[in-house]
């Protein structure tokens, strides 16, 4: 009896990788791509896996960079995107950058040549037909409106966003807790809280005025014409609030009320920046209400003006973009299937990851999961200590959902070391016997995390192969 095909909707980074993984597992796949029949506002060609903006897959350093580690894992898992990226790389120092046309043409050619892949050019303009029993939706940040409407009919209006509103995220261990302190406003515990859930950074009047001056003077990123201006109440960028009046932020996200500085209880702060826990591991904290369109280069230096954040390391900088994505921690099961309709699985940026490589990585995983299901095999998820496992955990459950006013707390995320579980036993001394400090200590930790990830991935691959052979 022939195996019935899995349908993949969207031939971008995630869909192309998913289709490849399914076909390589011996399962037929139909890849539906709407271009060139219908375009998007950002794509320019009809090639699969088109890179819509930069041509970089970012750092290729798999010993001390999280995205480099993800590259390594994907190469170990026969990734089409990585193979064609490697084959079409252009010089870019420690980064992997690619010739975008050569790369996209090579991905397209490999899929066209695969005997188990059929490419169907046309829009899926609504929910996939009921007779398709296994579908991966990988239609990306610019999912066509008709399909988005269909998805919304299953998820509810508020669970599919059309813009992100990203506040910067800081690595906890880079916050100066001799200046900042834990406390919730009025010590209110709130749902699931302790009364000391936020990290508070105090500013005096001069520091606040200097911060506002810097915000007003900073360069902002413009929206593209087709994006429109998606501002709505509760989602104003901080620099727009500052433009509305110098005191606006002090009455908004920086209001100093209900808080007592533990380090200096008799002096009332003039303004306070609050950060709240972002992931279950407690390694990442987001700057509450600080969504922004400031240029990346400006953000780090301006936010380091805030007392307590002078040495802040950012896991993610802020941004606001046109971006269709699900409230995945609520809607998806751990294997990225829609809880309310498990025949539909999601992959790529629509799940709430961010970036070419991360989108392809989630495509890789969903392709393998769907193919294993079709073959009646069980596929365990990769361990949380791998980059792949850390990323998928963030999407489906690692993020802490808050119910404050303002934009939804689950926002797109690149892979970063803050998503990896804590590691014990990192070398504290260098080969010269001297105690490691500052950057050297941080590099030692990153190297320990990537070494652990590599061995966990190898263990997972051998376990998977052994089970398949049974
Ligand atoms: C303007 C812009 C710039 C970006 N720049 C970068 C960058 O520089 N670096 C980076 O790492 N990331 C960038 N991203 C973020 C993101 O990682 C990429 O968009 C990435 O391509 C996402 O991969 P994907 O497979 O999820 O979606 P895509 O690569 O966009 O693929 C989705 C595919 O689905 C197709 N499709 C949509 N709807 C339907 C439908 N109903 N039926 C059939 N096909 C459909 C689309 O035509 C598209 O080919 C950018 C995003 C945008 C919007």
């Amino acid at each position: 009896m022939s195996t019935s095909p899995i349908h993949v909707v969207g031939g971008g980074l995630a869909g192309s990788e998913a289709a490849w993984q399914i076909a390589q597992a011996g399962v037929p796949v139909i890849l539906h791509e709407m271009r060139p029949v219908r375009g998007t506002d950002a794509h320019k060609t009809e090639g699969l896996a088109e890179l819509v903006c930069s041509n970089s897959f970012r750092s290729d350093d798999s010993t001390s960079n999280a995205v480099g580690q993800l590259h390594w894992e994907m190469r170990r898992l026969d990734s089409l995107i990585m193979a064609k990226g490697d084959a079409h790389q252009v010089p870019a120092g420690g980064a992997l950058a690619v010739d975008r046309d050569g790369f996209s043409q090579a991905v397209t050619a490999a899929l066209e040549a695969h005997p188990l892949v059929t490419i169907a050019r046309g829009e899926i303009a609504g929910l996939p037909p009921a007779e398709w029993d296994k579908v991966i939706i990988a239609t990306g940040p610019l999912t066509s409106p008709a399909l988005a409407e269909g998805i919304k009919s299953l998820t509810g209006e508020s669970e599919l966003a059309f813009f992100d509103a990203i506040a910067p995220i800081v690595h906890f261990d880079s916050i100066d807790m001799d200046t900042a302190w834990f406390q919730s406003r009025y010590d209110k515990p709130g749902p699931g809280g302790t009364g000391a859930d936020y990290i508070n950074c105090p500013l005096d009047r001069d520091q606040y005025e200097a911060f506002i001056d810097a915000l007003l003077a900073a360069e902002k990123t413009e929206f593209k014409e087709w994006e429109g201006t998606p501002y709505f109440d509760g989602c104003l960028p901080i620099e727009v609030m500052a433009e509305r009046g110098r005191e606006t932020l002090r009455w908004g996200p920086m209001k100093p009320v209900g808080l007592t500085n533990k380090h200096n209880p008799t002096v009332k702060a003039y303004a306070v920046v609050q950060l709240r826990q972002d992931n279950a591991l407690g390694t990442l904290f987001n700057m509450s209400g600080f969504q922004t369109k400031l240029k990346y280069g400006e953000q780090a230096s301006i936010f380091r003006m805030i007392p307590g954040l002078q040495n802040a390391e950012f896991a993610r900088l802020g941004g606001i973009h046109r971006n269709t994505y699900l409230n995945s921690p609520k809607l998806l099961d751990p294997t990225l299937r829609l809880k309310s309709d498990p025949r539909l699985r999601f992959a790529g940026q629509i799940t709430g990851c961010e970036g070419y490589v991360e989108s392809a990585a989630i495509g890789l995983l969903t392709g393998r999961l769907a193919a294993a299901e079709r073959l009646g095999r069980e596929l365990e998820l990769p361990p949380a200590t791998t980059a792949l496992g850390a990323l998928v955990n963030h999407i489906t459950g690692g993020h802490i959902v808050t119910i404050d006013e303002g934009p939804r707390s689950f926002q797109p995320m690149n892979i970063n070391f803050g998503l990896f579980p804590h590691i014990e036993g990192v070398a504290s001394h260098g080969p010269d016997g001297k105690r490691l400090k500052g950057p050297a200590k941080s590099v030692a930790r990153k190297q320990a995390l990537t070494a652990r990830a590599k061995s966990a991935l190898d263990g997972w691959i051998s376990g998977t192969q052994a089970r398949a052979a049974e």
Side-chain angles (χ1 to χ4, degrees), residues 10 12-14 33-35 43 53-54 124 139-140 144 349 355-356 359:
L13 276 298
E33 169 51 55
M34 69 178 183
R35 291 174 290 121
H43 292 83
C53 187
S54 119
I124 305 304
T139 43
S144 76
Q349 185 137 327
Y356 301 144
S359 296

Side-chain angles (χ1 to χ4, degrees), residues 124-427:
I124 305 304
L127 283 176
E131 58 274 21
W132 296 0
D133 70 331
K134 249 182 221 321
V135 183
I136 295 176
I137 298 182
T139 43
L142 306 174
T143 295
S144 76
L147 176 57
E149 279 305 312
I151 297 171
K152 237 178 8 180
S153 71
L154 291 179
T155 61
E157 179 81 24
S158 59
E159 307 299 352
L160 183 72
F162 292 97
F163 279 91
D164 50 38
I166 299 177
I169 290 189
V170 181
H171 288 279
F172 173 68
D173 56 12
S174 69
I175 301 174
D176 171 12
M177 293 306 290
D178 292 333
T179 303
W181 75 99
F182 272 107
Q183 186 185 11
S184 304
R185 254 184 238 290
Y186 302 107
D187 303 308
K188 276 191 193 155
T194 63
D197 299 314
Y198 287 79
I199 293 177
N200 300 282
C201 299
L203 290 87
D204 64 22
R205 186 177 194 134
D206 288 347
Q207 288 163 334
Y208 178 79
E209 296 297 346
F211 180 70
I212 298 295
D213 286 340
L215 277 184
L216 293 175
E219 266 194 278
K220 285 102 195 165
T221 312
E222 298 300 323
F223 283 104
K224 302 198 173 57
E225 202 184 314
W226 50 266
E227 289 184 301
T229 308
Y231 296 154
F232 50 89
D233 283 346
C235 177
L236 283 182
I238 47 163
E239 61 278 10
V240 173
M241 282 191 248
E243 277 162 14
R244 290 187 175 181
R246 296 185 70 87
E247 289 291 289
T248 309
L249 280 167
R250 241 168 58 76
W251 292 95
M254 293 178 76
K255 59 179 176 281
V257 300
L259 297 165
T260 305
N261 185 344
K262 182 173 108 174
H263 307 293
N264 202 357
T266 53
V267 177
K268 194 94 199 128
Y270 189 72
V272 170
V273 173
Q274 289 202 301
L275 296 96
R276 74 178 163 226
Q277 190 172 331
D278 196 81
N279 64 342
L281 297 169
T283 50
L284 300 176
F285 277 72
N286 66 60
M287 298 177 68
S288 188
F290 264 54
Q291 52 277 358
T292 175
K293 282 288 276 180
L294 292 184
K295 289 218 159 139
Y296 282 168
E298 301 268 22
Q299 288 189 35
S301 55
I302 293 180
F303 296 144
R304 286 188 187 127
M305 293 171 72
I306 297 166
L309 301 186
Q310 63 276 13
N311 299 316
E313 292 299 328
F314 293 91
R316 178 181 82 187
L317 288 166
I320 299 177
H321 316 94
R322 172 78 179 80
N323 193 359
T324 314
Y325 71 100
L326 297 166
N327 191 4
S328 297
K330 183 169 169 193
L331 298 172
L332 302 186
D333 74 11
T335 71
L336 296 143
R337 289 178 307 191
L338 195 64
K339 288 179 193 162
S340 61
D341 187 355
R343 85 188 167 104
L344 303 179
R345 189 171 245 125
F346 285 84
Q349 185 137 327
I350 197 167
T351 64
C353 64
E354 167 82 30
Y356 301 144
V357 181
E358 289 85 342
S359 296
I362 297 299
L364 183 153
L365 196 58
T366 54
R368 285 184 169 234
L369 287 163
E373 265 173 21
R374 177 63 96 220
L375 296 169
R377 294 185 192 141
E378 209 179 309
L379 179 65
E380 276 177 28
L381 287 170
T385 47
T386 62
L388 261 176
L391 186 62
V392 75
N393 272 355
H394 171 73
I395 293 168
T396 57
H399 170 75
I400 295 204
V401 176
T402 52
I403 53 165
D404 295 3
E405 281 174 42
R408 192 168 75 200
S409 66
F410 179 67
Q411 295 285 335
M413 181 82 108
N414 286 123
I415 186 73
N416 67 79
F417 284 119
L419 301 182
F420 289 64
H422 179 71
I423 187 159
E424 299 287 348
V426 179

Side-chain angles (χ1 to χ4, degrees), residues 21-45:
Q21 296 288 333
I22 293 167
Q24 289 291 86
V27 175
V29 54
I30 303 177
L31 177 59
H32 303 265
E33 169 51 55
M34 69 178 183
R35 291 174 290 121
V37 182
R38 186 190 166 108
T40 78
D41 285 312
H43 292 83
K44 299 201 166 48
T45 73

Side-chain angles (χ1 to χ4, degrees), residues 60 71-79 82 86 96:
D60 200 31
H71 291 175
W72 185 93
E73 295 181 16
M74 293 171 72
R75 288 186 180 113
R76 292 277 288 121
L77 293 166
D78 178 34
S79 161
M82 289 310 299
D86 286 337
L96 173 60

